[in-house]
Amino acid sequence: MSNSRLPMSPEVQMLLSAVILLSGVHLSAAFPDGAPNHRCSNLVPMHGFQPQTSAPPYELTFSPDRYSPGQTVQVTLRGTSGQSFLGFALAARRVSDDTEELVGGFEVPTGAVGGFWYSQNASLPNCLTHGGVPQSEITARWTAPPRSVGDVVFTTPVVQSFSTFWSNVTSSVLTAVQSSEDPPFPPLTIGESPNPLEGACGTEFGCVRSPALCDTANCEILVKFLYLEAENRLRLLVHAVGNFVSLGLSDDDKMGDDLTLTCTGGQGGYSMQLGYNPKYRRLNERHRWTPMQNKYIELLDTGRIRCDFTLPWTVNISTYLNPRQSSEPPVLRSFDLRTPRYVFVAYGNTYRDSNSVQQHTEMPAISTSQVNLQSRDGYSAHRISGLRRAHGSLMLTAWQFLMPLGANLALFYRCLFMKTYGNVQLWFHLHRGFMVTGFCASLIGVLLIFAEFDWKWRSMYSNTQSHGAMGLTIVCLTVVQILMGALRPDKDSPKRPWFKIAHQIVAYTALSLADTTIITIGFLSSLPQSYRISHLVYAFTWLGFHLVFQIVVPIVLARFGSKAQDADSSEEKDSIETAKFRLLRLLFGVYLAGMLIIFLTWLVTIVVF
């Protein structure tokens, strides 16, 4: 095979050079003035890629190797062989205990931007981020806190390109000359609490569980809560699939401006993270976890994580109103857990070799009502929002029951409904009623799903992918079909045969596209996996059942038609028509019963989830 390359014109070369140049500009200019404040708390850039697993080609060094309170230490980030980097978020953290707090402060050098992530020192930022210029080395002066916080390490993610980064470049330990002056910190224990919450949900403790009818031993998601009167604290135990679980407490059924509590386990380390879900952006800020006590985490052999801890009834969180770099003081948010709140539970996996959680792809479980955490009541949680379930129920009713029934009744079974009412045969009344009712149901379903996404097409499309676009196409085809029916030519018109062909083509196109659209639901990653599997089972069962009748009934009609043509007498023809009528009635009964069984079972599945 020849290795020669096709000649490239100067114009093409210039175009490719421009594309490459602009790609580099995108990578370095995504945050040209430094990363947002919240990036200081997270060691994994939210770029949608996994961190590299190889040893990082970067290092963090410092001098001197010991510090006293208030002392200045010189810290350097460099490529080990001169490699350049585009982004970083440098901070100092305790080696143990409260590792979420960023300690000390930095003087901001050229090529960096200072970030204030709940800094105790209003004059010095406690985090440094990139200044938007590629560089291979940067040195900063770090000033230790005025009181000893114990041994410290410097940490930073390092971004080489948008898709290539290392999540946790860590220095050696900067030793404290004197021991930490911090108050005792509640330890985190790996394993089960010596006082497990046992007994029945609704009597021994309160709980939130999903699926709604599950037993506490086999629930996909389980939250137990108990009011500890002697300590005047709230105990929470969260149990879910994966190696992280995040609990959200909200005053409405949508996340935003809410308290979160996250537990992680595995190779990236075990952690409990107090957090805050801001109203103005989709992320979870990590905060200091000092209010959490009696902390236990356990990864089970079943691939689940169990997290057990206690909280005070009032939890205070500080947050920045401006997500960009700012030295403005944070705003205090206070959460009184005695107030009934909706409970959210998200779960999944952390980034590789990290305790930073990935954005969960499946929708969180949400309690069906506000939960009184002081009670011992049992609550259920749904995995699909009420509007989405209503949308799914209406679209299923329209396109897996009413529309196919109306179309097949007109195509195959009209001889069973030949009585005339108002000069119109019964089959046509039924056909038109099924189709118009199905159209109305699907139109309401479309409006509901737009309401779910705040009437924003871009938001709906990004969450539903091709499913939403195909659904709208089907509704448009239904409108065309209704208009064609209203404008159909008279029986004796020469255009009538062409109308029938066009009418059937549009009908079968819409129904086939509806089947495809409904199947795509089984591949929407935002839906629970168990629901997607059951949905695909129902969808292909319905499709197979429907195809059998689409093949069998035309064959039956063709055979009876052939027999009627070969009949020698009118009595024989009448006998053949009677036999056809009886067989069609039997087939229609089986078809209707089968459709109802599959449809109703499917509908119950949607409601339960």
Side-chain angles (χ1 to χ4, degrees):
M1 180 180 292
S2 173
N3 290 324
S4 61
R5 288 181 284 186
L6 293 174
M8 186 179 296
S9 68
E11 291 82 1
V12 173
Q13 292 180 21
M14 289 177 63
L15 177 62
L16 288 176
S17 299
V19 169
I20 294 171
L21 178 62
L22 289 174
S23 299
V25 170
H26 164 73
L27 294 175
S28 61
F31 291 111
D33 299 320
N37 268 326
H38 60 81
R39 289 292 179 254
C40 294
S41 70
N42 200 327
L43 291 174
V44 178
M46 301 293 111
H47 291 182
F49 296 91
Q50 286 286 346
Q52 299 297 304
T53 56
S54 60
Y58 305 97
E59 62 180 359
L60 275 170
T61 59
F62 54 82
S63 178
D65 58 2
R66 296 167 68 85
Y67 84 93
S68 301
Q71 183 178 347
T72 298
V73 176
Q74 186 169 287
V75 185
T76 299
L77 169 65
R78 65 166 62 93
T80 53
S81 299
Q83 296 92 338
S84 63
F85 48 86
L86 293 173
F88 61 90
L90 176 63
R93 303 169 187 267
R94 294 175 179 85
V95 171
S96 59
D97 294 337
D98 188 2
T99 57
E100 294 293 339
E101 184 184 16
L102 310 187
V103 296
F106 292 92
E107 295 177 20
V108 182
T110 302
V113 176
F116 289 81
W117 186 247
Y118 308 110
S119 175
Q120 303 298 314
N121 188 333
S123 62
L124 290 178
N126 57 359
C127 174
L128 289 182
T129 67
H130 52 278
V133 178
Q135 50 198 318
S136 58
E137 179 175 322
I138 189 167
T139 298
R141 291 165 61 86
W142 175 78
T143 300
R147 56 198 301 273
S148 177
V149 293
D151 294 347
V152 168
V153 292
F154 297 97
T155 61
T156 182
V158 180
V159 177
Q160 191 175 81
S161 68
F162 189 78
S163 60
T164 304
F165 54 85
W166 286 262
S167 64
N168 192 359
V169 177
T170 305
S171 71
S172 56
V173 175
L174 174 60
T175 306
V177 171
Q178 62 189 74
S179 60
S180 172
E181 298 177 68
D182 291 334
F185 194 80
L188 174 63
T189 304
I190 311 304
E192 186 178 10
S193 167
N195 300 307
L197 280 180
E198 296 179 341
C201 169
T203 55
E204 302 299 322
F205 51 81
C207 76
V208 180
R209 52 190 170 183
S210 176
L213 303 179
C214 71
D215 180 82
T216 54
N218 57 21
C219 294
E220 289 186 9
I221 290 173
L222 177 63
V223 180
K224 298 179 181 180
F225 53 89
L226 181 65
Y227 171 37
L228 303 176
E229 295 185 43
E231 304 173 33
N232 195 28
R233 293 176 67 87
L234 171 65
R235 181 178 178 184
L236 288 164
L237 187 149
V238 191
H239 187 264
V241 178
N243 71 343
F244 94 78
V245 60
S246 187
L247 181 71
L249 300 173
S250 175
D251 56 5
D252 57 24
D253 61 355
K254 292 184 182 296
M255 284 299 293
D257 190 28
D258 301 311
L259 180 70
T260 64
L261 304 128
T262 303
C263 300
T264 72
Q267 293 183 347
Y270 290 80
S271 74
M272 284 193 181
Q273 303 165 13
L274 184 66
Y276 174 69
N277 184 258
K279 198 166 190 174
Y280 50 80
R281 61 193 191 276
R282 293 178 61 187
L283 59 90
N284 185 45
E285 296 179 351
R286 289 172 62 166
H287 290 257
R288 299 180 64 190
W289 49 342
T290 47
M292 304 169 78
Q293 296 181 7
N294 308 112
K295 299 173 293 191
Y296 297 88
I297 296 182
E298 185 178 17
L299 282 180
L300 306 177
D301 295 336
T302 56
R304 298 167 181 260
I305 185 170
R306 181 164 56 203
C307 183
D308 192 347
F309 55 90
T310 67
L311 284 172
W313 284 107
T314 301
V315 179
N316 295 319
I317 289 285
S318 296
T319 184
Y320 291 100
L321 296 179
N322 184 356
R324 301 297 305 148
Q325 293 286 1
S326 174
S327 59
E328 296 176 1
V331 176
L332 183 68
R333 291 286 292 111
S334 184
F335 297 90
D336 185 355
L337 303 186
R338 295 182 183 86
T339 303
R341 296 179 181 275
Y342 284 93
V343 172
F344 290 68
V345 182
Y347 61 89
N349 294 299
T350 57
Y351 282 96
R352 192 164 45 209
D353 299 328
S354 169
N355 66 7
S356 295
V357 301
Q358 300 186 56
Q359 183 174 357
H360 53 88
T361 53
E362 293 188 7
M363 291 181 291
I366 308 171
S367 59
T368 54
S369 62
Q370 290 183 324
V371 175
N372 180 3
L373 295 173
Q374 298 182 85
S375 73
R376 297 191 180 187
D377 298 333
Y379 299 83
S380 60
H382 56 72
R383 306 291 303 283
I384 302 173
S385 69
L387 286 176
R388 293 195 192 200
R389 282 182 290 154
H391 164 80
S393 300
L394 286 169
M395 299 308 263
L396 189 69
T397 302
W399 292 100
Q400 302 300 288
F401 186 70
L402 293 173
M403 297 285 201
L405 186 59
N408 286 318
L409 190 147
L411 194 61
F412 301 131
Y413 305 107
R414 65 172 66 183
C415 65
L416 303 178
F417 305 94
M418 297 299 289
K419 290 184 179 181
T420 301
Y421 296 90
N423 296 323
V424 178
Q425 291 176 334
L426 177 59
W427 71 265
F428 187 76
H429 282 300
L430 294 173
H431 168 75
R432 182 168 54 188
F434 285 138
M435 304 307 277
V436 171
T437 305
F439 169 73
C440 293
S442 59
L443 184 60
I444 295 171
V446 169
L447 294 175
L448 289 176
I449 203 63
F450 267 103
E452 168 75 4
F453 294 106
D454 297 324
W455 307 98
K456 296 176 182 177
W457 160 254
R458 180 176 296 181
S459 177
M460 188 196 78
Y461 183 77
S462 64
N463 280 271
T464 62
Q465 303 155 18
S466 59
H467 175 80
M470 288 193 290
L472 289 178
T473 303
I474 295 166
V475 173
C476 293
L477 287 174
T478 309
V479 172
V480 171
Q481 191 76 326
I482 290 175
L483 292 175
M484 289 175 63
L487 301 174
R488 70 186 184 280
D490 295 332
K491 290 182 179 180
D492 300 329
S493 172
K495 298 179 181 178
R496 184 74 175 211
W498 294 106
F499 162 78
K500 288 184 176 180
I501 294 172
H503 195 56
Q504 289 185 10
I505 289 174
V506 175
Y508 275 104
T509 301
L511 288 169
S512 299
L513 189 58
D515 292 338
T516 305
T517 305
I518 286 174
I519 288 173
T520 62
I521 295 174
F523 300 95
L524 291 179
S525 59
S526 61
L527 296 175
Q529 183 180 23
S530 54
Y531 175 79
R532 298 200 305 267
I533 293 172
S534 62
H535 178 88
L536 288 174
V537 170
Y538 286 128
F540 284 108
T541 301
W542 183 92
L543 192 60
F545 178 83
H546 195 67
L547 284 175
V548 167
F549 279 83
Q550 293 294 106
I551 295 170
V552 169
V553 175
I555 293 174
V556 170
L557 291 175
R559 285 197 169 186
F560 276 107
S562 177
K563 286 183 179 181
Q565 285 183 353
D566 297 337
D568 297 327
S569 63
S570 58
E571 289 82 2
E572 188 177 356
K573 286 184 178 181
D574 290 342
S575 176
I576 291 171
E577 285 297 319
T578 301
K580 182 182 80 170
F581 182 88
R582 289 174 178 171
L583 184 56
L584 279 179
R585 186 168 58 187
L586 175 63
L587 288 173
F588 181 72
V590 174
Y591 174 71
L592 184 59
M595 288 265 287
L596 277 171
I597 291 171
I598 298 172
F599 163 69
L600 292 175
T601 308
W602 205 344
L603 201 60
V604 168
T605 303
I606 293 177
V607 173
V608 167
F609 273 90

